[in-house]
Amino acid sequence: MTNRVRELTATAKELLNSSDDERVGSLSREPFVSYGTAKRILIRMNALLHSPRSHRPASMLIAGATNNGKTMLVRRFTDANLPVHDEDADAVICPVIYIQMPPTPDARQFYLAILEKLHVPIQRTAVLSHVQAQTLKICKIVGLKVLIIDELHNIHGGRIEQQRYFLNLLRYISNELEIHIIGCGLASALRALQSDEQLTNRFEHWPLPIWKNDKACKVLLNTIESTLPLRRQSSLSETEMIERIVGLSGGTIGEIVRLIREAAETAIRSGAERIDTNLLDGLGWVAPENRRRAAEAVLGHRG
Ligand SMILES: Nc1ncnc2c1ncn2[C@@H]1O[C@H](COP(=O)(O)OP(=O)(O)O)[C@@H](O)[C@H]1O
Ligand SMILES: [Mg+2]
C-alpha cells in the first residue's frame, strides 16, 4: 500500500455523498484530464496564437496513435479560442479554425471545409481559383492566425504528385496568410511531411507517445484517480496497477480512460469503492489488440 493521500477534485469531493446512480452518471461526463505533454502542447499553441505575424510562420505536427488524445487536445484549444464579435468594427474575429482533412488531398474540398467553418456560402461548382481566392480573402478578413488540420494523414489518400501539390499548397497559404498550421495525424503523416524538406523545417514535431509504465503515466493515473468519486483510495499509480492498466489498454489514453471509468463504475456498484488489481481482472476487459484478433478471426483472416 502507498502512504500517499489522494487529493480529489472539488467536483469528485462534492459527489462523494451522492447516490450510486449519480456517481456512475458523472463518470460518463468527459472532463479533460491534463498531462505533461498536453500542457506543453497547449502552451506552444497559445504562444503561436499570440506571437506577432511573421513571413515564415512556425507550424506544428501532433502525431500519435489513434485514440491517443490528438483531437481532444486541439478541440480544447479551439474551444478556448472561439470566434468573437468585434462590436466596434461590426465584424467577426476568428483567430483559430479547426477542420478535418478531406479523405484525399483535394484542394477544393480543403478550401470548402474552411469556408464551411466560416459559414461562407459558395457554389460548390465554382472554379478552384475562385474558391481559393475567396478562402484567402475571408481568412484575412476574420484575422485567422492558426489553422488546425486534423486527420492530416489523409494526405496519403492521393497519388504522390497530389500529395506534393497539397504540401505546396499548405506552404503557400501559410506564407500568404502568415498563419500557423497545426496538423494532427498518425505517425505516417509525419513521414509524408518529411519527404518535403522545406516544409519539414517549418513543422515542429510534437509526438503523443503510447503510454508505458513510467513516471508520466503514474502522474496521469493519479490525476485520473483524483476525478473519480470513489469513497476509498485506489492507488492506481502503484507499479503493479500501472503495468496492468497499460497492458489491458494497449497504452492509448482513450482506452486507459475508458477502462478506469468502467472499473470505477464496478467499484461503485459492488460497494468495493476502490479499484485494485482483482477488480480490474474481474472486468473481463479484452485488450484492443485481442479485440482486433477476435474480429479478424470472425472475418476469417489469420491473426
Ligand atoms: N486529455 C484527455 N482527458 C480525458 N479523456 C481523453 C483525453 N484525451 C483523450 N481522451 C479520451 O480518448 C478518446 C479518444 O481521444 P481522441 O482525441 O479522439 O484521439 P485521437 O484523435 O488521437 O484518435 C476521447 O474520446 C476521450 O474519451
Ligand atoms: Mg482524432
Side-chain angles (χ1 to χ4, degrees), residues 70-71 150-151:
K70 301 180 294 297
T71 299
D150 204 352
E151 314 283 337

Side-chain angles (χ1 to χ4, degrees), residues 231-245:
R231 296 186 180 136
R232 296 172 66 205
Q233 176 155 337
S234 295
S235 314
L236 292 183
S237 56
E238 280 174 15
T239 308
E240 201 189 343
M241 284 291 270
I242 306 180
E243 291 276 354
R244 201 72 118 251
I245 292 167

Side-chain angles (χ1 to χ4, degrees), residues 61-68 70-71 98-106 148-159 162-163 166-167 170 182-193 203:
L61 192 66
I62 303 170
T66 188
N67 212 15
N68 209 20
K70 301 180 294 297
T71 299
Y98 166 96
I99 60 161
Q100 291 212 23
M101 176 71 192
T104 56
D106 179 281
I148 300 173
I149 311 172
D150 204 352
E151 314 283 337
L152 189 60
H153 48 256
N154 283 347
I155 218 166
H156 285 309
R159 294 187 310 278
Q162 282 176 303
Q163 295 178 21
F166 196 83
L167 292 174
L170 288 187
I182 300 181
C184 302
L186 305 174
S188 57
L190 200 144
R191 281 197 292 277
L193 293 173
F203 271 92

Side-chain angles (χ1 to χ4, degrees), residues 18-74:
S18 304
S19 68
D20 290 359
D21 283 345
E22 273 176 75
R23 288 188 295 146
V24 168
S26 76
L27 295 172
S28 55
R29 278 174 238 133
E30 284 198 16
F32 180 84
V33 178
S34 192
Y35 49 94
T37 317
K39 277 184 209 149
R40 286 189 289 277
I41 292 177
L42 285 169
I43 288 172
R44 182 64 184 140
M45 290 195 286
N46 270 308
L48 291 183
L49 177 61
H50 299 292
S51 64
R53 294 212 185 246
S54 128
H55 63 282
R56 216 171 175 283
S59 288
M60 296 170 73
L61 192 66
I62 303 170
T66 188
N67 212 15
N68 209 20
K70 301 180 294 297
T71 299
M72 191 134 177
L73 187 53
V74 289

Side-chain angles (χ1 to χ4, degrees), residues 107-139:
R108 173 195 300 278
Q109 296 302 326
F110 173 74
Y111 289 130
L112 288 176
I114 297 176
L115 291 173
E116 198 172 359
K117 280 284 146 127
L118 293 168
H119 308 290
V120 177
I122 188 152
Q123 276 197 325
R124 296 216 150 232
T125 50
V127 291
L128 178 60
S129 56
H130 178 66
V131 179
Q132 173 168 307
Q134 279 295 101
T135 309
L136 295 183
K137 187 169 141 200
I138 190 88
C139 286

